[in-house]
Amino acid sequence: MDFWTITQELLQGFGITCLLFAMTLILAIPLGLLFAFCSMSKFSVIKVPTKIFIWIIRGIPLMLFIFVIYYLPSLLADGNAALNIFNTIDLKMTMAAGSRELLWQGRFLAVLIAFVINYACYFSEIFRGGIESVSQGQYEAGYVLGMTKSQVFFKVVLKQVIKRIVPALSNEIITLVKDTALANAIAIPEIIKCAKDMASSQALIWPLFYTAVFYLLFVGIVTVLLSRVEKKLSYFKA
Amino acid sequence: MALLEVTDITKSFGKTEVLKGISFSLEKGNVLSIIGSSGSGKTTLLRCLNFLEEADGGIIRVDNKVLFDSNTQHALTDAEIRQNRLHFGLVFQNFNLFPQYSVLENVCLAPKLHAKERPDYKTNAKEICDEIEAKARKLIDDVGLSAKCDAYPCELSGGQQQRVAIARALAMDPEILFFDEPTSALDPELTGEILRVIKELATREMTMVIVTHEMQFAAEVSDQVIFMDDGVIAEQGTPDEVFVHPKNERTKAFLSRYNNQ
Ligand SMILES: Nc1ncnc2c1ncn2[C@@H]1O[C@H](COP(=O)(O)OP(=O)(O)OP(=O)(O)O)[C@@H](O)[C@H]1O
Ligand SMILES: [Mg+2]
């Protein structure tokens, strides 16, 4: 296999890596915001369970949580992990599409659920810290000017929160880029899985190291974009 | 008929009784100064009047309209509280300007958001916004900062920030403007510019309630002075009555502490 064939094959895996990254980011941010508000709720029936849930998710390895999401529903349904519901989805989709190419979609769903919940918990702690760091005086200044609660949040507080959380969020987003590799725990053909398959089928080890280039480029782009955001918000002090 | 009538306001935080029955009234166009030692409840009183805290008891009336009455059963809704706040403006000790907005935007933000509720907003949005901006520029000019319209709060001195905060409060056309120690966070050489702005407002018949430690200023600008001590009004009257001929021993002690400084 020559360099370009290998590059192309890795690119296919990298597409799945990027898909997992993007979908996790898009879904975990709003869910994280919801968790953040729940963990700041004045009702302890909402606050306490949310905090315990966040503590559990942040306390267990993401790889373990992927297994939990993958196996638990089937175990609960009929006590038989062998008839995995995500695999059933895989088969159905494969048959519908008539192509073995898509044999990973059900499991991708399991991984996506695990990633979204896991990252929503991490994001929620960052959001909560950011929201709580805006002084009460900012809210009160808005209120005495006759603004509604949502106007105060969206027009006064939000931008200050964003400015404060961008550095912490950047770290988490960069970690997410690399965490996508955990999807190969349940055989999602992301880039590292592709390289590993090549290692076993072609007896080639260098494609595995070559994947680093893809990650580095991706992290590089993400870093540049995030530092642009940071720079854009540097015109004010908060 | 008094513009503001406050009757028997009480407020406790847990077991500490901070306001123990505060009553006063204020005529339209008059200036009331509130003095008193630290912890006597001045800030708490302003916060109750601006609905940042809910008083435990008492009545607040503006223009004979009851805004708050602890005897009526129902708790105020968010919308009612908002409506009530529109009668008042509040200038904070530490300015609380919105850091992400320029001076002009700080002054325009609340009026523009409020204008969105006008029935004619959809058809006249552009004109309404232009009008608000023109008025904001006028207010900023009045406090002497027309050159700083596009500056951000972090680029301004404390005194300039506080003047913007005053313009911002005035932009909502409050009937009564409250100040909570507007000069306490400022370097001594910057207090003068704020006091001048407040005096200027007084000559324009703005109704104001000013919590302050600037006795000289309070004596000059006020029609009425209240001395608060430990959650009650220990003495009230004209500046002459309170500052020159105080009757209450605690007022005398408080003032002599100031004069000896
Ligand atoms: N949110 C709160 N919770 C508990 N106690 C409070 C709260 N706010 C104020 N207090 C207490 O109420 C009392 C009066 O406080 P307040 O801030 O009204 O005094 P002040 O007259 O404004 O004093 P200063 O001149 O220092 O500003 C103080 O003893 C204070 O500790
Ligand atoms: Mg105070």
Side-chain angles (χ1 to χ4, degrees):
Chain A
M1 284 223 299
D2 68 84
F3 182 73
W4 288 117
T5 335
I6 285 170
T7 304
Q8 265 172 5
E9 217 151 284
L10 289 182
L11 265 177
Q12 269 185 16
F14 191 58
I16 295 174
T17 297
C18 291
L19 185 69
L20 180 58
F21 170 83
M23 291 187 75
T24 302
L25 202 56
I26 290 167
L27 297 171
I29 285 177
L31 188 64
L33 209 50
L34 180 71
F35 285 173
F37 283 121
C38 288
S39 69
M40 289 185 290
S41 169
K42 51 187 168 193
F43 305 109
S44 45
V45 258
I46 300 175
K47 180 175 160 171
V48 174
T50 310
K51 289 207 158 207
I52 293 174
F53 182 75
I54 292 172
W55 173 71
I56 292 173
I57 301 300
R58 298 212 317 161
I60 62 172
L62 176 52
M63 175 151 358
L64 176 58
F65 190 50
I66 294 171
F67 288 135
V68 170
I69 297 287
Y70 181 57
Y71 290 115
L72 199 62
S74 317
L75 276 176
L76 292 178
D78 57 6
N80 184 356
L83 295 171
N84 192 296
I85 60 164
F86 293 107
N87 288 343
T88 318
I89 298 174
D90 275 346
L91 286 176
K92 283 204 176 123
M93 288 195 134
T94 313
M95 279 186 310
S99 150
R100 277 187 53 84
E101 288 282 289
L102 297 171
L103 194 55
W104 47 271
Q105 287 192 340
R107 279 167 297 142
F108 184 82
L109 184 66
V111 166
L112 184 63
I113 293 170
F115 268 72
V116 168
I117 293 175
N118 181 80
Y119 271 88
C121 288
Y122 280 99
F123 289 163
S124 81
E125 288 293 286
I126 294 175
F127 294 155
R128 188 176 61 82
I131 292 170
E132 286 177 347
S133 75
V134 174
S135 79
Q136 203 54 33
Q138 289 289 309
Y139 290 87
E140 292 181 349
Y143 292 146
V144 296
L145 288 165
M147 293 185 204
T148 63
K149 282 186 176 158
S150 78
Q151 285 171 340
V152 168
F153 183 76
F154 287 105
K155 299 289 179 180
V156 174
V157 177
L158 187 61
K159 205 166 187 183
Q160 299 180 45
V161 172
I162 293 173
K163 181 182 167 82
R164 283 173 199 207
I165 65 175
V166 166
L169 211 53
S170 301
N171 275 337
E172 218 51 68
I173 290 172
I174 286 164
T175 306
L176 170 60
V177 174
K178 295 171 292 176
D179 269 359
T180 54
L182 290 171
N184 90 54
I186 55 170
I188 304 292
E190 48 72 54
I191 185 165
I192 292 208
K193 172 86 167 42
C194 290
K196 267 169 53 186
D197 289 350
M198 268 180 241
S200 53
S201 66
Q202 318 276 329
L204 281 178
I205 200 70
W206 66 265
L208 196 54
F209 302 146
Y210 179 33
T211 60
V213 174
F214 292 79
Y215 284 108
L216 287 171
L217 275 177
F218 195 15
V219 168
I221 293 168
V222 170
T223 309
V224 168
L225 288 178
L226 287 168
S227 63
R228 278 222 188 134
V229 174
E230 213 167 319
K231 208 164 178 190
K232 236 187 151 170
L233 291 169
S234 67
Y235 73 91
F236 71 93
K237 285 205 188 81
Chain B
M1 189 62 239
L3 177 60
L4 174 66
E5 231 187 309
V6 174
T7 316
D8 210 18
I9 293 286
T10 55
K11 176 73 189 174
S12 302
F13 290 110
K15 284 214 168 76
T16 20
E17 219 183 342
V18 177
L19 299 177
K20 303 171 183 170
I22 302 285
S23 305
F24 66 89
S25 62
L26 180 62
E27 300 292 329
K28 190 167 162 46
N30 279 7
V31 176
L32 164 69
S33 288
I34 302 178
I35 57 171
S37 49
S38 184
S40 55
K42 307 177 299 292
T43 297
T44 307
L45 176 62
L46 289 203
R47 291 174 60 82
C48 287
L49 295 177
N50 281 279
F51 299 90
L52 291 175
E53 304 282 357
E54 196 187 323
D56 299 330
I59 306 171
I60 302 170
R61 285 195 197 86
V62 170
D63 234 351
N64 232 4
K65 186 172 155 262
V66 175
L67 301 191
F68 172 81
D69 183 348
S70 59
N71 295 317
T72 57
Q73 285 302 309
H74 87 290
L76 292 176
T77 63
D78 282 356
E80 285 170 323
I81 287 176
R82 236 185 101 225
Q83 215 53 44
N84 288 344
R85 283 179 179 144
L86 290 174
H87 294 281
F88 306 135
L90 174 60
V91 174
F92 299 85
Q93 186 172 339
N94 48 358
F95 336 130
N96 288 328
L97 291 184
F98 306 133
Q100 74 270 42
Y101 292 121
S102 70
V103 166
L104 183 64
E105 289 166 336
N106 260 281
V107 178
C108 288
L109 181 67
K112 281 186 179 170
L113 291 172
H114 195 239
K116 287 192 178 156
E117 288 160 35
R118 281 168 55 166
D120 60 340
Y121 183 79
K122 276 221 168 76
T123 47
N124 294 341
K126 178 90 177 64
E127 285 149 55
I128 291 174
C129 284
D130 287 350
E131 219 170 272
I132 289 171
E133 260 175 48
K135 185 176 148 201
R137 283 181 193 280
K138 168 87 178 49
L139 287 167
I140 294 167
D141 191 35
D142 286 349
V143 297
L145 288 173
S146 43
K148 298 281 183 190
C149 265
D150 298 317
Y152 287 91
C154 61
E155 299 161 355
L156 302 178
S157 73
Q160 291 171 330
Q161 289 191 47
Q162 190 62 299
R163 283 186 276 158
V164 176
I166 294 171
R168 181 177 70 173
L170 290 170
M172 289 300 286
D173 290 320
E175 288 161 68
I176 305 166
L177 188 52
F178 294 82
F179 294 84
D180 189 6
E181 303 192 29
T183 58
S184 295
L186 299 176
D187 294 335
E189 71 266 24
L190 297 177
T191 57
E193 59 189 74
I194 302 303
L195 300 182
R196 261 196 307 283
V197 169
I198 299 174
K199 275 186 188 161
E200 167 69 23
L201 288 172
T203 62
R204 284 195 265 153
E205 305 273 280
M206 182 78 211
T207 315
M208 293 186 282
V209 176
I210 308 167
V211 170
T212 184
H213 289 297
E214 302 277 338
M215 299 304 152
Q216 182 64 35
F217 166 73
E220 285 167 29
V221 80
S222 323
D223 300 288
Q224 221 193 117
V225 178
I226 284 177
F227 169 66
M228 270 182 75
D229 187 60
D230 197 20
V232 296
I233 295 180
E235 183 146 3
Q236 71 177 311
T238 63
D240 186 60
E241 285 165 346
V242 176
F243 288 117
V244 188
H245 308 290
K247 295 188 193 72
N248 190 300
E249 287 308 317
R250 286 182 292 183
T251 321
K252 288 178 190 168
F254 175 76
L255 291 173
S256 72
R257 241 181 299 140
Y258 261 90
N259 294 335
N260 293 337
Q261 267 171 19

